[in-house]
Amino acid sequence: MNTEVEVNPYELLDVKVESTEQEIRTAYRKRSLKVHPDRNPNNADAARKFHELNQAYELLLDPLRRLALDAKLRLKQARAERFKSYDNKRKNMVEELEAREREFKKRKEEQEKEEIRRWHETEEIKDQGRKLREEKERDLRQREEKKRQAAEEAQEDDLAAPSLGSMDTTVRLKYNLKSHPELTTVESIAKVLAPFGQTDDDSIVLSLKSSKKAANKPPKFGTALVPFKQIGNAFAAVCASGRPERGLDGIEIDWVGGKEPPILIWLSLIRHPLNHFSERHPIV
């Protein structure tokens, strides 16, 4: 059963979130007797209701799937309560950001599918790796050239520092739940990133997903959008992506927009160390 749909398994079985396994079994027996197709031969919708009831029952008896459901329900409730306090302008901004995030995920999924298709067609893994390295090296050279040109233009035009964008302190985490089964709550995500600085825990967005081929199985991957209080702390977390000695083995961290915020590029152009800038000019 997909926990993303409107139907709440707890509501289907008429039980509470804190109900025990025995209470869930008892509620299932009572409900199943009422909606069983054999007891409702004239109700064309009885089979569907009985199927949904069984799916809800199986989900709530699976500890991992129930844990994922509880986390999503808590997140949904917390987000709904926060959203009530937003004014219309803030709501529009959140909706726009969410739309951009969905579009970004869609483009990324399409890009990954295209890469997989090409990989299967060519069956030349070594050649693909070589091409990927060359592409990264070319991209790096292009970025360095752009930085050099931007630095020259900044000196000539006396450019001012860019303003801090609304998403410039937010990073994206991606990890495999098999390697990190503990990262299933907002609190656990905040704890992992605590060594790098203070995060806005109330604004952390956590998503646990199963593979498309096994949608009914426990989630395999986790992603999270985490806003830091300061951009310097977010930068430190991105730099430590995947490093075991920083407690991030198997955890990919990147900027939510897929590239460095303009303020960091500007800082590198004027050769101003980020840690020194953060000490003298905190960016909240």
Side-chain angles (χ1 to χ4, degrees):
M1 182 173 182
N2 190 347
T3 57
E4 294 292 333
V5 298
E6 293 295 330
V7 179
N8 186 323
Y10 289 106
E11 294 177 355
L12 271 179
L13 290 169
D14 194 21
V15 295
K16 299 180 180 179
V17 175
E18 61 271 14
S19 295
T20 64
E21 181 176 318
Q22 183 58 44
E23 290 173 339
I24 292 174
R25 292 181 185 274
T26 301
Y28 169 74
R29 285 194 294 269
K30 292 181 179 179
R31 297 284 292 178
S32 62
L33 291 175
K34 293 182 180 180
V35 300
H36 197 284
D38 293 343
R39 293 195 170 214
N40 299 272
N42 298 325
N43 187 349
D45 206 30
R48 180 187 61 80
K49 292 182 177 179
F50 185 72
H51 178 67
E52 289 181 348
L53 186 68
N54 274 290
Q55 285 188 310
Y57 174 66
E58 292 174 0
L59 187 152
L60 294 183
L61 288 186
D62 187 326
L64 290 178
R65 294 174 65 194
R66 184 178 180 183
L67 182 63
L69 172 65
D70 291 346
K72 288 183 179 181
L73 291 178
R74 288 194 299 270
L75 180 62
K76 182 178 180 181
Q77 182 180 2
R79 183 176 179 275
E81 292 176 355
R82 290 198 306 272
F83 203 76
K84 290 179 181 178
S85 63
Y86 291 172
D87 56 7
N88 290 333
K89 182 177 180 181
R90 185 73 180 274
K91 288 182 181 178
N92 292 336
M93 182 186 69
V94 171
E95 292 172 354
E96 182 180 354
L97 291 176
E98 290 178 343
R100 290 181 181 177
E101 176 62 16
R102 288 192 297 269
E103 181 63 24
F104 175 79
K105 289 182 178 179
K106 180 180 178 181
R107 291 198 303 268
K108 187 174 182 181
E109 289 175 357
E110 292 175 352
Q111 181 180 358
E112 290 175 350
K113 290 179 181 178
E114 179 65 16
E115 291 176 353
I116 293 174
R117 183 186 66 81
R118 291 179 180 177
W119 181 81
H120 283 293
E121 286 179 352
T122 61
E123 295 184 358
E124 297 177 358
I125 301 177
K126 293 182 180 180
D127 184 60
Q128 185 186 44
R130 177 183 59 80
K131 290 181 180 179
L132 183 59
R133 289 194 300 271
E134 291 176 353
E135 182 179 347
K136 288 184 177 180
E137 291 173 358
R138 182 169 58 252
D139 183 66
L140 180 60
R141 289 194 297 269
Q142 290 176 351
R143 284 192 293 173
E144 292 298 329
E145 178 63 19
K146 289 180 180 179
K147 288 181 180 180
R148 184 188 63 80
Q149 293 177 357
E152 293 177 355
E153 293 174 359
Q155 292 176 356
E156 294 174 358
D157 301 334
D158 192 25
L159 295 177
S163 59
L164 186 67
S166 61
M167 301 295 289
D168 284 355
T169 61
T170 301
V171 300
R172 181 201 312 279
L173 276 70
K174 184 177 180 180
Y175 53 92
N176 191 311
L177 284 170
K178 184 177 181 181
S179 302
H180 295 280
E182 74 283 0
L183 298 182
T184 56
T185 64
V186 169
E187 292 78 8
S188 61
I189 295 295
K191 184 177 180 181
V192 168
L193 296 179
F196 302 99
Q198 187 177 4
T199 58
D200 185 359
D201 297 354
D202 291 337
S203 299
I204 293 177
V205 178
L206 175 62
S207 176
L208 305 176
K209 293 185 177 180
S210 303
S211 63
K212 292 184 177 180
K213 294 182 179 180
N216 292 330
K217 293 185 177 180
K220 289 186 176 181
F221 305 98
T223 58
L225 303 182
V226 183
F228 277 88
K229 294 292 186 178
Q230 294 188 4
I231 192 172
N233 299 333
F235 178 80
V238 172
C239 291
S241 174
R243 293 172 58 181
E245 68 272 19
R246 300 304 302 274
L248 299 176
D249 187 20
I251 301 177
E252 298 178 13
I253 303 179
D254 198 0
W255 296 104
V256 70
K259 60 182 180 180
E260 286 187 352
I263 185 67
L264 293 182
I265 297 177
W266 178 80
L267 287 171
S268 65
L269 292 177
I270 63 173
R271 301 181 182 278
H272 200 314
L274 182 61
N275 56 356
H276 180 61
F277 182 88
S278 299
E279 293 174 358
R280 299 186 59 184
H281 308 281
I283 304 176
V284 179

